Amino acid sequence: MQIIHHGAVNGVTGSCHQLDINPQSSILIDCGLFQGAETADKTAADQLQIEFDLTHITALIVTHCHIDHVGRIPYLLAAGFNGPIYATTASAALLPLVIEDALKVGVTRNQRLINLYLKRLQQLIQPIDYEQWFTLEVKNSDSGYQQAKAQFNVAGHILGSAYVEIELSGSSLNHNCTHKNSHKNTDIHNSNSGNRHDDDIKNEKDSHLVVFSGDLGASNTPLLPSPKSPFRADTLVIESTYGDKNHHNREHRAESLRHVIERAVSDNGVVLIPAFSIGRTQELLYELEQIIFSQQHNPIWQSIEIIIDSPMAANFTEQYIEYKNLWDSEAKAVLAQQRHPLDFSQLYTIDSHQDHLAVVNYLSSRQKPAIVIAASGMCTGGRIINYLQRFLAEPTADILFVGYQAKGTIGRDIQEYGPTGGYVYIEGEKIDIKAGIHTISGYSAHADQQNLIDFVKGIEHKPKHIRIVHGDTEAKQALADKYRQLLPNAEIKIGTG
Ligand SMILES: [Zn+2]
Ligand SMILES: [Zn+2]
């Protein structure tokens, strides 16, 4: 068995890991796009190329539908990949929406071509429920494992997200052993002397359990349950986005959200929240509904309009509602009270581009507060741009950041220069920032360092090998140190290219 990383090695994007089961059979776990700074030294074509050999790849397993985990799937298909694409049932529903958007943004606007791609994708997708073992195709080989099965488990990161357990068994080495008398006798002797511990060791010799974490969710995330550790992992490949940090302010973030918005709308201005379509938008809606519910005698909250101006976000929100069976118990309890956390009466969704332009004009022509949630989350494109162009120079307006703003993005510039009355360039136009600029932390959808430690602590049969991926160097190092303290006998490696 061998694991090769084709992405998410030096940074957090481009997730794509190859598990070699035997010399004839390998599977891929995720096939994501490189983004941001990690694309700097690559040409556009290089970022998309499937530069590895697909001959022995029998299947693709998708952990979740973020673009940095699935964005290269169209290129995988173009390179000739023809195997099954396994995803959880909810991810299987989200995947075509994400890929359609990725194709429109990065490849073509030709709807006929897009439809062809999506049809091909639909033919390959195999939806699998959580906690259901499914068999992976393994070709016969003289060496290595001969069988493999896999199972998805709740990762609590975004809707449908999973970590995946892959059990490899039937190693030809063990198979040969049973034909040799001496070995066979030893085996019998061992199991005769046996207690439960011996059986476990024998079991681990016969099979190897590999766990790929995908992206793990943080604790206290609204809507989705937190991940539970697997029972066993011999080899663990784990993300480390926040391997060197702990989230603060999570318990109080809804409170901060309420205070910031109340202050922001006291002058009747609009509040703009740049947010990602999957996950963040739905978490915000959930918290806003909760505030409206708890502020029943507060006229501000009983009259404020909340506008989702993003067809993508609206589509994903529909899927979150469709799969409410995957919500956590707290969110289900809200539903049981006949409340609709993602579809309440003060919420408006804007679909067409024409309506979008009309809303921008309408909001700037009246003196009444509103909250607008629009993508993209770092203001690198999308409908938020038109709002920023219209409202950044408006002293009554407020911009509220709830997500990480990467260096070099418009979002980062506004965050950095806005509070001191600076300016920003949007589409070549210099705009003075007069709007209020606020940042609320604690909205990350990723496990923090303590969550990542607890995930390993919770594994009953501890890993002997840990591969740390999907993080910046400092984050990977810090997490490796923690794991070395926790498991002094395990081999802890930082994924390298
Ligand atoms: Zn993710
Ligand atoms: Zn990721």
Side-chain angles (χ1 to χ4, degrees):
M1 185 215 73
Q2 169 176 246
I3 299 167
I4 302 164
H5 308 286
H6 299 301
V9 177
N10 300 320
V12 300
T13 71
S15 269
C16 186
H17 311 290
Q18 177 180 332
L19 174 67
D20 294 340
I21 300 167
N22 68 34
Q24 304 302 317
S25 326
S26 304
I27 49 171
L28 289 182
I29 293 85
D30 290 339
C31 197
L33 271 187
F34 291 98
Q35 292 175 303
E38 286 174 75
T39 61
D41 55 343
K42 296 183 170 118
T43 67
D46 270 0
Q47 294 158 28
L48 304 170
Q49 263 329 310
I50 300 297
E51 76 286 8
F52 47 92
D53 183 16
L54 291 176
T55 319
H56 300 300
I57 307 282
T58 56
L60 167 66
I61 295 179
V62 168
T63 64
H64 68 289
C65 285
H66 272 149
I67 202 74
D68 56 317
H69 290 256
V70 299
R72 270 192 292 168
I73 289 179
Y75 306 92
L76 191 68
L77 301 188
F81 175 77
N82 198 25
I85 299 175
Y86 296 106
T88 66
T89 310
S91 286
L94 294 176
L95 191 56
L97 303 172
V98 175
I99 296 295
E100 177 168 5
D101 190 59
L103 287 170
K104 279 183 184 159
V105 173
V107 184
T108 176
R109 288 256 157 202
N110 182 331
Q111 194 61 45
R112 201 180 60 87
L113 270 179
I114 290 172
N115 290 344
L116 278 174
Y117 253 117
L118 293 178
K119 200 173 156 207
R120 182 85 202 97
L121 182 68
Q122 290 286 11
Q123 288 166 341
L124 300 180
I125 296 179
Q126 306 272 344
I128 310 273
D129 284 338
Y130 286 110
E131 295 179 29
Q132 299 289 322
W133 286 104
F134 55 98
T135 307
L136 297 165
E137 187 200 348
V138 180
K139 300 210 173 91
N140 282 336
S141 176
D142 298 341
S143 58
Y145 291 97
Q146 307 301 317
Q147 285 123 40
K149 59 178 183 173
Q151 176 173 256
F152 289 119
N153 289 277
V154 167
H157 170 62
I158 57 166
L159 185 73
S161 65
Y163 70 82
V164 60
E165 295 172 271
I166 302 173
E167 191 182 275
L168 309 176
S169 59
S171 150
S172 57
L173 197 73
N174 289 334
H175 181 74
N176 290 339
C177 283
T178 57
H179 291 289
K180 287 180 190 160
N181 277 335
S182 60
H183 281 265
K184 199 172 187 179
N185 286 341
T186 321
D187 272 0
I188 289 166
H189 177 73
N190 274 350
S191 55
N192 280 348
S193 75
N195 48 34
R196 188 170 167 265
H197 187 65
D198 277 350
D199 284 349
D200 289 342
I201 289 170
K202 185 175 174 297
N203 185 28
E204 282 174 26
K205 246 196 288 179
D206 288 344
S207 68
H208 193 91
L209 211 112
V210 190
V211 173
F212 289 88
S213 76
D215 288 359
L216 294 172
S219 50
N220 300 323
T221 301
L223 273 172
L224 299 177
S226 304
K228 288 191 192 72
S229 307
F231 179 72
R232 173 185 160 201
D234 300 316
T235 296
L236 170 66
V237 179
I238 191 161
E239 67 125 324
S240 59
T241 319
Y242 285 90
D244 58 346
K245 283 185 198 74
N246 282 313
H247 301 320
H248 298 291
N249 198 28
R250 275 185 97 73
E251 291 83 11
H252 308 292
R253 68 182 202 185
E255 222 19 37
S256 312
L257 183 68
R258 180 167 77 82
H259 285 301
V260 169
I261 290 174
E262 283 175 3
R263 251 186 304 146
V265 302
S266 60
D267 54 7
N268 283 331
V270 297
V271 179
L272 306 178
I273 309 181
F276 293 100
S277 308
I278 319 181
R280 194 67 45 93
T281 294
Q282 293 77 25
E283 284 185 19
L284 279 169
L285 293 182
Y286 182 82
E287 287 186 340
L288 289 169
E289 191 273 345
Q290 208 134 28
I291 297 170
I292 292 171
F293 180 77
S294 67
Q295 297 289 312
Q296 289 187 5
H297 303 293
N298 184 336
I300 292 178
W301 285 102
Q302 296 315 304
S303 62
I304 197 161
E305 292 155 325
I306 295 162
I307 299 164
I308 299 288
D309 193 353
S310 159
M312 277 287 277
N315 281 337
F316 289 125
T317 304
E318 263 173 44
Q319 295 299 322
Y320 265 75
I321 295 170
E322 173 83 27
Y323 288 95
K324 51 181 176 280
N325 61 314
L326 301 176
W327 294 7
D328 65 11
S329 48
E330 198 188 303
K332 282 178 181 166
V334 173
L335 280 179
Q337 297 173 28
Q338 307 300 319
R339 285 161 56 192
H340 301 281
L342 300 184
D343 184 22
F344 44 96
S345 59
Q346 283 161 252
L347 178 66
Y348 300 87
T349 302
I350 310 302
D351 190 12
S352 74
H353 192 73
Q354 219 169 354
D355 289 351
H356 156 68
L357 295 176
V359 169
V360 176
N361 286 329
Y362 169 67
L363 289 179
S364 57
S365 68
R366 63 170 205 174
Q367 282 292 308
K368 212 174 155 241
I371 300 169
V372 179
I373 303 174
S376 74
M378 298 190 204
C379 311
T380 47
R383 292 186 178 177
I384 193 72
I385 296 295
N386 284 332
Y387 285 99
L388 293 173
Q389 285 173 320
R390 184 65 66 96
F391 291 104
L392 262 182
E394 208 50 66
T396 61
D398 291 86
I399 322 294
L400 173 52
F401 291 102
V402 290
Y404 175 73
Q405 305 297 310
K407 271 205 175 80
T409 61
I410 293 175
R412 178 67 160 257
D413 287 349
I414 295 172
Q415 205 178 28
E416 214 170 311
Y417 306 118
T420 52
Y423 57 86
V424 71
Y425 278 94
I426 299 180
E427 291 174 348
E429 183 198 354
K430 182 182 165 190
I431 303 173
D432 291 320
I433 305 171
K434 302 236 171 67
I437 307 298
H438 318 268
T439 299
I440 300 181
S441 61
Y443 274 89
S444 173
H446 282 273
D448 65 8
Q449 186 186 61
Q450 194 55 50
N451 298 147
L452 293 168
I453 293 170
D454 291 343
F455 186 78
V456 171
K457 269 191 186 162
I459 304 174
E460 192 112 344
H461 284 246
K462 296 276 187 292
K464 293 172 210 65
H465 314 274
I466 298 184
R467 247 350 142 83
I468 302 175
V469 297
H470 197 290
D472 294 330
T473 313
E474 310 79 58
K476 284 188 289 201
Q477 289 289 5
L479 190 62
D481 290 345
K482 292 286 177 188
Y483 284 154
R484 284 185 188 120
Q485 286 166 24
L486 185 66
L487 303 172
N489 297 322
E491 177 210 38
I492 317 287
K493 280 214 294 200
I494 287 173
T496 47

